[in-house]
Amino acid sequence: MLWWQQPWLLVQGLVITLGLSTAAVKIPGRTQEWSLEKTLSLREEVRVLWYHGYDNYLTYAFPLDELQPISCQGRGPDWNDPSNYGFNDVNGNFSVTLVDVLDTFVTLNDPKGFDDAVRKVIQHVSFDVDTKPQVFETTIRVLGGLLSAHLFASDDDLGAQFAKRSESGSSFRLDWYEDELLELAWDLGKRLLPAFDTPTGLPYARINLRSGVPRGETTQTCTAGAGSLLLEFTTLSRLTSDMRFENLAKKAYQAVWNRRTSLGLVGNGIDVITGSWYYPIGGGIGAGIDSFYEYALKMYVLTGEKPYLDIWNEAYAAIMNHSRGADGFWYKAVNAYTGEVSQAHVDSLAAFWPGLQVLAGDVENAIKSHLVYWNLWRRFSAIPETFNIISKEGITLGYPLRPEFIESTYFLYRATRDPFYLTVGERVLRDLIARNRAPCGMATLSNSVTGEQEDRMESFALSETLKYLYLLFDEENPLHTLDSNFVFTTEGHVLPLPRRYLRRSSAVAGPSKKDAKGSKASDTCPPPSPRLIPTWSDRNHTTGLAGSISDRPDADYARHLVGLALDAPEAAEDATHWSLEGICDAPRYDTHPTTFVLTAYGEEAPEDPYPGPEKLALNADGTGVTVYNVSGIQLKAITRVDGRGYDIVQIGQHKIKSSQKVWFADPRLLKSETPQNSSSYVDPYQKQTVPLRFFAESTKPKATPAQKILQTLFGDAEYTVSGVSANWGDQPGQKLEESEWDPNVSSRPRARLGKGSEALPLVWPPKENRHGCKPHIPADFDETSHFAPPQIYEDSVLLLDRGECTFVEKTQYAEQAGARSVIVLSDDDVLPSMTSADPDYDFVQMYIKYISFIIIGGKEHANKLNEMMSQTDARIMVEVDKTKPTGFDLVEAAKSNSNAVPKRMRSDWDRLRKLGVGRPLFINGKRLLNAALLF
């Protein structure tokens, strides 16, 4: 069966092939013939190599962290030199190799070995250690290893899927197991939490597991280290119901993403206190950044939550537009602000990128980028740490057994089933055995040219490198068809998240987009089409035979790119892959358009940086944005990886999510002539104001002296003032019908601060948390408990001071405590923008739904409300003032005004939008898929 004839299964964007041919497989061209017997034979060679490393670790190194494979002894942290970060960042005196390889026993189908390893971890591993490892490395190697093993040891469904494959029918579920690994993971997670105690929410790079962040600890960290904690921390929160981990990891990720440059790129070094990028501000996909992008896409695959897919789509477009080389094969490091080349080298860590492109469905570009690393391996029999693409020389020649290239090879084989990738894997295996095998394990190469070995075997050699190589040759491994939301973490841990831990899809996803024919668009990708090998007369790849990767006319371009074409072939297999007289296509590059400023008639118009609702507005039903006046509106679009057209990712200040659409309702777009006066109609605009009424409700039957003072100060103990609400969360200025606020639906609360609703009590938190920047937890609550803390402010409104943390954090902590609204007092008369386009609000529309946020500006108002609250014998209530119009009322009135767009036209637009009816729009002849013209 040829690879392009395989049936396909699409699971949350992960492309998985089904079907297996036991006969020999041969692709047209020069690729060697592969039989199932040969593939399984290579699989067993990998298994022998893996146990050579693991068994010697147990014999000579356990319970220390690492095995030294040449001297056959173990080692842990460098106790004599705390600044030896190369060892101390990963070796925390907690048997890191053992913990890191736990789920590899599942991959190898070794239930007995899994049982033994889990028992050893429970008996010997403790995190009450006086060591200072790196937060990122400890999370991905240790926390991830514990969580993955816990799921396999405890989940019946997972165990059953793998038991079917076992000859003995043994399951990886352990009958004697009582969540000990999860307890260890929770203990480790809590010891990492102090690292996040920074003004930005970005974690310190390192932490002492016993005493916390040391005084004077460096404030510099890398983007990947700060932002690549989401998978492990989210899983820990879902399994323990302790949401601190997911919230902090999400906040750290947002803190990085929200600081992206105007090009959509992030730097590779950031200060955890100031949030400033370190110079030079390099953007790209390599060291320091790599897994930050990886975790955006994999969080979507794991959880199904669309905001992470939105981030990935925008980030991918930025990388393809600014970091991708003009030939489409390699990715350069660039200045994140200007896009200018800052370094002309590729590094070994970036070899993960083709595998991630496969996961995203962009197989064609994955093939190209993988060819660069394949030719590097052919030249060096390894991947040097850094390679200069201009001089075609290695810079840092060491090879510490990194897995990224083998990982991408595995993903490309599963996506294409082209035996070419088995040939690649065989070459890698032969080189590992010949050059890296040592007396007691697998040794790092200190020089990939000379083959000189170094006496070190990092844990990822077993947990990732040989795991992916084993999976490449193991055709029937259950992981190929695992029917659940699962990912490989950046450390190669198999992390499935059972559906009972997922949030309801309606709360996080929203409706899917529709394609040009009105059909519901899939959030997964189609199988790749085979590349046609052209005849000499057809260089556009429209005719010819389907062939292997090695037969592509552009395959040898990558060989030249790394300097291999300048050397004599070092092996017979290389001679068959290229010829000086052969075809060498000039690579074709697909551009990714970025930003446009719109006009109605083609006239010049300055960009309007803050267009109000008279120009464009979010639709109340969450379906996207309606544009009433295009003049000066900035539009940002990206090319879809499936080649079908373009998607708008931002219009004005509004980010367009994957489930939303942009509706154009500017009547001028249908007029053929430019009027003499092309100024647009203008809707009168009012701020999103909320009139509030505060009043004292006696808690005693008779008036107290305090209440008499209130009456003297405020008349009938009442005070009215207007605030400004955020456009995320509940909208207090909008009246909701009972059907829209049904307490029996989902997790909606029974009370709200909103128009037409009853008054709610106003509550002041204790002085030590007056800003609301910490969880609202009773002093006597046992934080070691598995139970969530009580909601001490249930159905109340929390009055907070401005500062010390973001508005989003204040709202999240208040909602966790049961509050229905947050009112923040600000001494400033000029209030900040409260739109969802502001930096902190990328995720909030998904996570904050049933609580409102209001800010009141002006020192006079703040003083009066503080004085009112200080009267301890009176209960202060607050409600939306029923006697005054809200901002929503004023805007609706303005929309129906005769000077604005006729109300009938607005009604027609709403009707067409709800029906999904609209005329298509095109850019350069290709459909703008998430946009329509409402005429």
Side-chain angles (χ1 to χ4, degrees):
M1 184 180 294
L2 303 182
W3 66 263
W4 57 84
Q5 296 173 330
Q6 298 285 350
W8 291 81
L9 174 66
L10 305 173
V11 181
Q12 290 284 351
L14 178 61
V15 185
I16 302 175
T17 55
L18 299 178
L20 178 66
S21 173
T22 57
V25 178
K26 185 174 177 63
I27 297 294
R30 291 184 292 268
T31 301
Q32 68 184 89
E33 191 173 89
W34 279 86
S35 65
L36 181 60
E37 290 74 19
K38 179 180 179 179
T39 305
L40 296 180
S41 174
L42 291 172
R43 182 194 71 178
E44 293 310 301
E45 287 191 56
V46 179
R47 180 194 294 271
V48 170
L49 194 59
W50 191 89
Y51 280 103
H52 173 66
Y54 178 72
D55 290 343
N56 280 298
Y57 166 75
L58 290 184
T59 301
Y60 298 107
F62 178 74
L64 296 178
D65 289 300
E66 287 184 0
L67 169 68
Q68 294 181 281
I70 298 175
S71 60
C72 298
Q73 58 185 354
R75 73 163 300 159
D78 189 341
W79 301 103
N80 297 320
D81 183 7
S83 64
N84 186 357
Y85 297 131
F87 282 94
N88 294 337
D89 275 356
V90 297
N91 295 335
N93 198 27
F94 37 49
S95 305
V96 65
T97 296
L98 178 64
V99 178
D100 205 4
V101 304
L102 286 174
D103 69 327
T104 310
F105 289 100
V106 178
T107 306
L108 297 172
N109 189 29
D110 184 357
K112 183 178 179 181
F114 180 69
D115 186 306
D116 179 70
V118 170
R119 290 180 187 272
K120 282 184 169 61
V121 169
I122 293 171
Q123 292 168 5
H124 295 279
V125 173
S126 169
F127 300 112
D128 184 19
V129 287
D130 188 19
T131 58
K132 193 180 74 170
Q134 194 183 89
V135 172
F136 169 67
E137 292 290 354
T138 303
T139 296
I140 64 172
R141 299 195 194 203
V142 183
L143 186 60
L146 292 170
L147 293 171
S148 178
H150 163 74
L151 285 165
F152 282 105
S154 61
D155 193 280
D156 288 321
D157 294 334
L158 284 172
Q161 292 188 56
F162 283 82
K164 293 177 183 177
R165 180 192 176 214
S166 174
E167 294 180 1
S168 63
S170 299
S171 170
F172 287 92
R173 189 186 184 285
L174 305 176
D175 293 335
W176 55 266
Y177 177 71
E178 295 182 349
D179 294 345
E180 291 91 342
L181 296 182
L182 183 59
E183 290 285 349
L184 281 171
W186 193 43
D187 176 54
L188 175 60
K190 288 187 292 183
R191 293 175 185 273
L192 297 176
L193 290 182
F196 293 84
D197 188 13
T198 63
T200 60
L202 296 165
Y204 284 96
R206 299 172 182 89
I207 189 170
N208 186 291
L209 294 180
R210 180 172 292 168
S211 59
V213 179
R215 183 184 299 273
E217 181 64 27
T218 178
T219 60
Q220 183 173 0
T221 191
C222 68
T223 295
S228 305
L229 310 172
L230 273 170
L231 292 175
E232 293 83 1
F233 273 49
T234 296
T235 303
L236 180 59
S237 281
R238 303 291 175 93
L239 295 177
T240 63
S241 298
D242 186 342
M243 296 308 297
R244 291 178 296 173
F245 307 105
E246 181 175 353
N247 289 340
L248 287 172
K250 183 176 63 179
K251 177 183 175 182
Y253 195 91
Q254 288 177 252
V256 174
W257 179 241
N258 293 337
R259 288 170 171 81
R260 65 193 181 279
T261 68
S262 59
L263 300 183
L265 300 173
V266 296
N268 58 3
I270 193 168
D271 191 286
V272 302
I273 301 299
T274 66
S276 301
W277 297 113
Y278 277 96
Y279 288 89
I281 305 174
I285 61 171
I289 302 177
D290 48 1
S291 54
F292 176 81
Y293 296 121
E294 178 184 2
Y295 272 36
L297 181 58
K298 289 186 176 179
M299 270 296 287
Y300 168 66
V301 176
L302 184 70
T303 67
E305 294 172 8
K306 294 287 185 65
Y308 295 108
L309 180 61
D310 295 330
I311 290 177
W312 162 254
N313 286 334
E314 184 176 345
Y316 189 59
I319 289 294
M320 298 297 276
N321 197 36
H322 300 292
S323 179
R324 186 187 189 200
D327 53 23
F329 277 76
W330 68 289
Y331 295 78
K332 53 189 180 290
V334 299
N335 184 297
Y337 282 100
T338 66
E340 296 175 351
V341 177
S342 59
Q343 291 178 327
H345 72 242
V346 295
D347 63 57
S348 60
L349 287 169
F352 85 102
W353 187 250
L356 192 63
Q357 290 179 303
V358 170
L359 193 66
D362 192 0
V363 177
E364 173 63 22
N365 281 311
I367 290 171
K368 291 181 179 180
S369 50
H370 179 271
L371 283 170
V372 173
Y373 290 99
W374 163 229
N375 282 282
L376 279 174
W377 191 282
R378 293 165 73 188
R379 178 174 173 181
F380 292 95
S381 291
I383 303 289
E385 289 287 74
T386 53
F387 178 84
N388 190 303
I389 207 77
I390 303 300
S391 67
K392 297 179 172 56
E393 295 295 334
I395 304 171
T396 309
L397 295 175
Y399 173 61
L401 295 165
R402 292 201 186 278
E404 286 77 11
F405 170 64
I406 304 167
E407 172 188 358
S408 290
T409 303
Y410 162 70
F411 274 107
L412 274 164
Y413 178 63
R414 297 313 307 172
T416 66
R417 301 305 297 274
D418 190 334
F420 165 76
Y421 294 108
L422 297 177
T423 303
V424 172
E426 183 181 20
R427 168 66 183 272
V428 170
L429 176 59
R430 297 290 169 238
D431 286 334
L432 291 178
I433 293 174
R435 309 186 81 207
N436 297 87
R437 195 179 190 280
C440 293
M442 301 289 294
T444 291
L445 293 183
S446 59
N447 188 310
S448 58
V449 175
T450 65
E452 181 181 354
Q453 291 186 342
E454 179 182 338
D455 195 13
R456 187 176 188 187
M457 184 181 76
E458 290 213 48
S459 63
F460 55 67
L462 300 180
S463 70
E464 293 187 85
T465 305
L466 294 183
K467 175 191 287 179
Y468 283 121
L469 197 56
Y470 183 89
L471 285 170
L472 176 66
F473 298 124
D474 189 15
E475 291 283 3
E476 296 181 319
N477 198 290
L479 287 177
H480 301 329
T481 54
L482 186 60
D483 185 20
S484 69
N485 292 38
F486 96 98
V487 293
F488 291 97
T489 70
T490 196
E491 185 67 12
H493 292 304
V494 181
L495 203 61
L497 191 60
R499 296 190 181 277
R500 62 183 178 275
Y501 297 115
L502 299 177
R503 291 194 172 98
R504 293 178 62 225
S505 59
S506 60
V508 298
S512 298
K513 290 180 291 189
K514 294 186 177 181
D515 62 17
K517 297 180 180 180
S519 302
K520 185 176 288 187
S522 173
D523 293 318
T524 56
C525 305
S529 299
R531 182 69 176 261
L532 297 178
I533 308 304
T535 61
W536 281 99
S537 60
D538 176 22
R539 303 301 301 280
N540 294 319
H541 302 269
T542 58
T543 63
L545 297 175
S548 173
I549 302 300
S550 58
D551 294 310
R552 291 165 52 119
D554 59 356
D556 287 327
Y557 177 82
R559 179 185 179 110
H560 169 77
L561 198 62
V562 304
L564 191 58
L566 306 178
D567 303 331
E570 76 283 4
E573 66 185 52
D574 294 322
T576 65
H577 281 281
W578 71 291
S579 168
L580 289 175
E581 290 77 33
I583 300 175
C584 185
D585 261 7
R588 300 186 303 278
Y589 179 56
D590 52 318
T591 59
H592 290 253
T594 51
T595 303
F596 309 89
V597 175
L598 303 179
T599 62
Y601 303 109
E603 75 279 11
E604 288 191 12
E607 179 190 346
D608 184 349
Y610 304 108
E614 75 280 359
K615 282 193 170 184
L616 78 170
L618 289 168
N619 299 327
D621 56 8
T623 55
V625 171
T626 300
V627 181
Y628 303 111
N629 176 5
V630 299
S631 295
I633 299 296
Q634 186 185 84
L635 178 148
K636 186 174 183 180
I638 62 172
T639 302
R640 288 175 60 105
V641 295
D642 58 14
R644 294 168 55 217
Y646 303 94
D647 275 335
I648 299 175
V649 295
Q650 184 168 342
I651 184 82
Q653 71 271 39
H654 298 295
K655 303 288 178 63
I656 305 302
K657 303 182 184 302
S658 57
S659 58
Q660 295 179 329
K661 202 167 186 176
V662 177
W663 306 88
F664 289 92
D666 188 339
R668 300 174 302 158
L669 295 178
L670 292 182
K671 295 181 180 180
S672 58
E673 298 180 359
T674 304
Q676 293 181 352
N677 181 7
S678 62
S679 61
S680 64
Y681 50 81
V682 177
D683 281 343
Y685 172 59
Q686 297 288 338
K687 276 192 173 182
Q688 200 163 352
T689 54
V690 182
L692 298 172
R693 174 177 174 260
F694 300 86
F695 60 95
E697 180 184 78
S698 175
T699 57
K700 294 183 180 181
K702 294 183 179 180
T704 65
Q707 287 179 302
K708 292 179 180 179
I709 295 175
L710 280 175
Q711 291 174 353
T712 302
L713 292 172
F714 307 112
D716 295 327
E718 178 179 304
Y719 186 65
T720 59
V721 62
S722 289
V724 176
S725 67
N727 72 341
W728 39 266
D730 183 27
Q731 299 299 303
Q734 196 171 16
K735 185 176 181 179
L736 297 183
E737 300 299 331
E738 186 176 351
S739 60
E740 298 178 274
W741 197 260
D742 183 354
N744 296 317
V745 175
S746 182
S747 58
R748 288 173 177 163
R750 296 180 178 275
R752 70 181 291 254
L753 177 66
K755 182 180 178 181
S757 300
E758 297 298 321
L760 298 178
L762 190 66
V763 179
W764 231 354
K767 287 185 178 180
E768 58 269 18
N769 197 18
R770 191 60 56 84
H771 290 86
C773 294
K774 296 184 291 187
H776 303 281
I777 299 175
D780 58 351
F781 178 70
D782 181 7
E783 294 192 28
T784 65
S785 168
H786 277 294
F787 298 100
Q791 294 187 332
I792 58 176
Y793 297 132
E794 185 175 6
D795 293 343
S796 300
V797 177
L798 211 53
L799 185 66
L800 303 174
D801 291 339
R802 186 179 177 186
E804 294 194 7
C805 63
T806 66
F807 296 151
V808 172
E809 291 172 272
K810 294 176 189 287
T811 310
Q812 286 178 319
Y813 288 134
E815 187 172 39
Q816 290 169 12
R820 299 280 60 86
S821 182
V822 170
I823 296 178
V824 168
L825 301 178
S826 173
D827 289 344
D828 296 332
D829 291 314
V830 179
L831 298 179
S833 173
M834 301 289 290
T835 68
S836 60
D838 282 355
D840 288 314
Y841 307 146
D842 281 347
F843 286 75
V844 297
Q845 293 190 15
M846 178 179 74
Y847 289 106
I848 300 177
K849 301 176 71 69
Y850 303 126
I851 183 172
S852 59
F853 180 92
I854 303 169
I855 188 168
I856 296 175
K859 194 168 185 177
E860 176 187 0
H861 300 310
N863 288 340
K864 287 186 177 180
L865 286 173
N866 283 329
E867 190 173 5
M868 195 172 185
M869 286 296 293
S870 66
Q871 311 306 315
T872 57
D873 289 327
R875 183 184 183 189
I876 306 300
M877 306 293 290
V878 59
E879 65 180 0
V880 174
D881 195 335
K882 299 178 177 65
T883 65
K884 297 178 181 178
T886 68
F888 277 92
D889 298 329
L890 296 174
V891 169
E892 289 303 314
K895 287 180 180 179
S896 61
N897 187 285
S898 59
N899 294 325
V901 178
K903 187 175 182 180
R904 179 186 56 78
M905 184 179 291
R906 295 261 182 173
S907 177
D908 289 343
W909 289 340
D910 287 340
R911 180 176 55 82
L912 291 173
R913 180 174 53 77
K914 290 177 181 179
L915 290 173
V917 177
R919 295 172 60 174
L921 296 170
F922 296 85
I923 296 178
N924 297 330
K926 288 191 175 183
R927 176 77 183 270
L928 201 56
L929 288 160
N930 62 341
L933 186 62
L934 285 174
F935 294 100

